[in-house]
Amino acid sequence: MGERIYHTPNLERLLTYSPELHVLDTPEAVDRFTADQLIGQIQRKPNSVLTLPTGATPMGMYGLTIEAASNGLDVSGVTVFNLDEYWPLPEGHPASYARFMDENFFDHVSIPATQRHIPNCHAASPHAEADRYEALLRQRQVDLAILGIGPGDTCHVGFNEKKSGRRSRTRYVELDPQTRDANAQYFPDSSEMPRGAITQGVGNILEATRVVLVAKGQGKARGIQRTIQGPIGPDAPASYLRFHPNVTFIVDREAASLLQ
Ligand code: F6R
């Protein structure tokens, strides 16, 4: 049976919450504001469990968090679960999200390796690996999940592409062609780009105590409009975030430009 689409305005109003939306003038202001959410979470709760993204969007956030750590923020108690990882890729592949996290965050802060989790891009079976990751996630309550949003009208969160259900769990998925086009730039030879990935499900993401979705630039404008103002359903997996009682959207003016 397909996932139900919630489009009756009155019913939707009863079932959903009003997300907090911050529209900031510049991408740099988005980076600062997002980093402050992450840093504030770690200050309030030094043993926070975090779900974190990769990609272009969070680079500034990681840079500012590294700066805070070098100025005394203690991140050694934090546990990280990454949202997703390509599959299959050779271990240590430069475009793997494991490498991204090492180069852009973990190599610069003191989070012990045992507290960093990401699906294994070279596991023999992506299904068994997804089950292993799901079991790990189920042992912990995620305090804060920080997400980007997919390109074009994919409205993906993690790699939950269209048709992902509200209750979906960690699993192997096929990437949308728009996602493959947008991310091919990170592969020296685009034929090396995997067709699939292992991702936390929408259901996993919705279980976090707080969710923050970040978007910058014109390329995210359609997705943000669809996510915040369109019907909630599997055509726009990010729209399911409107079922979460504590979700914050942080966007720059360009990403907000189609909001009415
Ligand atoms: C990556 C992830 C994806 C990205 C999204 C946006 O770990 O979960 O959902 O957040 O594809 O990517 P960028 O930030 O590169 O536009």
Side-chain angles (χ1 to χ4, degrees):
M1 205 175 72
E3 180 79 11
R4 174 157 177 209
I5 300 185
Y6 299 83
H7 51 62
T8 313
N10 289 335
L11 179 62
E12 201 171 281
R13 214 168 295 134
L14 281 177
L15 291 173
T16 63
Y17 301 85
S18 276
E20 199 178 304
L21 170 66
H22 297 265
V23 180
L24 302 171
D25 280 344
T26 61
E28 293 74 26
V30 167
D31 292 343
R32 180 73 264 169
F33 194 86
T34 309
D36 287 346
Q37 308 308 301
L38 178 55
I39 293 165
Q41 172 66 43
I42 299 169
Q43 284 168 335
R44 280 191 303 278
K45 189 176 175 196
N47 64 346
S48 287
V49 180
L50 306 169
T51 277
L52 294 178
T54 61
T57 307
M59 298 275 285
M61 173 190 83
Y62 287 126
L64 291 165
T65 307
I66 291 166
E67 198 178 289
S70 67
N71 289 326
L73 176 73
D74 181 8
V75 296
S76 63
V78 162
T79 296
V80 175
F81 287 94
N82 267 92
L83 274 164
D84 44 19
E85 174 62 286
Y86 293 110
W87 189 94
L89 275 182
E91 184 175 12
H93 189 283
S96 69
Y97 284 167
R99 267 288 281 277
F100 175 99
M101 287 306 290
D102 286 347
E103 285 170 6
N104 293 292
F105 192 45
F106 293 142
D107 285 352
H108 311 280
V109 295
S110 60
I111 302 175
T114 51
Q115 291 162 214
R116 313 170 194 167
H117 305 284
I118 188 160
N120 180 351
C121 65
H122 60 102
S125 156
H127 307 292
E129 176 57 12
D131 290 348
R132 181 194 71 84
Y133 204 67
E134 172 73 20
L136 274 182
L137 270 168
R138 280 186 187 268
Q139 289 170 23
R140 305 299 298 268
Q141 172 60 39
V142 173
D143 297 292
L144 173 64
I146 300 181
L147 319 172
I149 184 169
D153 70 354
T154 60
C155 293
H156 75 213
V157 281
F159 276 138
N160 293 282
E161 305 284 19
K162 287 180 195 296
K163 297 202 174 81
S164 295
R166 176 186 175 183
R167 294 183 181 78
S168 53
R169 309 300 304 182
T170 310
R171 68 205 186 287
Y172 171 78
V173 292
E174 299 246 314
L175 298 171
D176 186 286
Q178 289 180 78
T179 302
R180 298 191 77 235
D181 279 356
N183 291 5
Q185 56 173 314
Y186 299 112
F187 288 81
D189 173 355
S190 60
S191 68
E192 285 176 44
M193 187 172 182
R195 308 199 76 81
I198 298 167
T199 185
Q200 291 193 30
V202 176
N204 299 94
I205 292 168
L206 291 177
E207 283 167 7
T209 305
R210 182 177 181 217
V211 179
V212 167
L213 183 142
V214 189
K216 298 186 282 190
Q218 198 61 46
K220 302 296 171 74
R222 252 183 335 139
I224 284 295
Q225 196 281 329
R226 174 69 185 77
T227 294
I228 297 181
Q229 295 179 327
I232 298 177
D235 284 350
S239 66
Y240 288 121
L241 299 180
R242 285 155 55 198
F243 285 125
H244 195 285
N246 190 359
V247 61
T248 305
F249 291 89
I250 305 172
V251 303
D252 67 3
R253 246 199 255 155
E254 286 191 0
S257 59
L258 296 177
L259 288 173
Q260 289 135 17

